[in-house]
Amino acid sequence: NTQIDLSFTISNPGTENMRNSIVDLTTDSEGVDIQKGHGRVPSLPAGRDIYATGLRVVVTEPGTHDMTLTFTDRDGDTWTQSFQIQAE
């Protein structure tokens, strides 16, 4: 098994501050166990970036696995980003 701690940058290119947003990590891969796939972003000012850490997966099967990161703001608007992780 391979443990992977994920970190990423969240950008707010808009003109409004974002508050009380939620980050969710999901996958359809049976070879990935999401240990910590949920986080909260209390504040993200307009025109700023934050560096987010704390999401963790354990890969139980080697190969390339599709993941999706969903960001939901307090108004219920969502943005998604798909990416892959690979383990040998």
Side-chain angles (χ1 to χ4, degrees):
N1 293 349
T2 303
Q3 179 176 298
I4 302 172
D5 290 319
L6 301 172
S7 56
F8 48 92
T9 300
I10 300 173
S11 300
N12 179 1
T15 58
E16 296 183 23
N17 295 337
M18 301 178 82
R19 296 193 192 319
N20 301 321
S21 301
I22 296 171
V23 177
D24 285 303
L25 179 67
T26 57
T27 185
D28 289 332
S29 177
E30 294 182 14
V32 176
D33 180 21
I34 297 176
Q35 298 288 305
K36 185 166 189 303
H38 183 80
R40 191 170 295 278
V41 179
S43 177
L44 180 53
R48 300 288 306 265
D49 302 335
I50 61 165
Y51 187 69
T53 61
L55 301 182
R56 176 177 294 151
V57 300
V58 173
V59 181
T60 58
E61 297 178 16
T64 302
H65 303 278
D66 295 324
M67 309 293 295
T68 301
L69 192 65
T70 303
F71 185 86
T72 306
D73 70 11
R74 68 178 175 185
D75 297 326
D77 295 325
T78 61
W79 296 265
T80 61
Q81 178 66 52
S82 296
F83 63 97
Q84 294 180 323
I85 58 174
Q86 185 168 350
E88 297 179 7

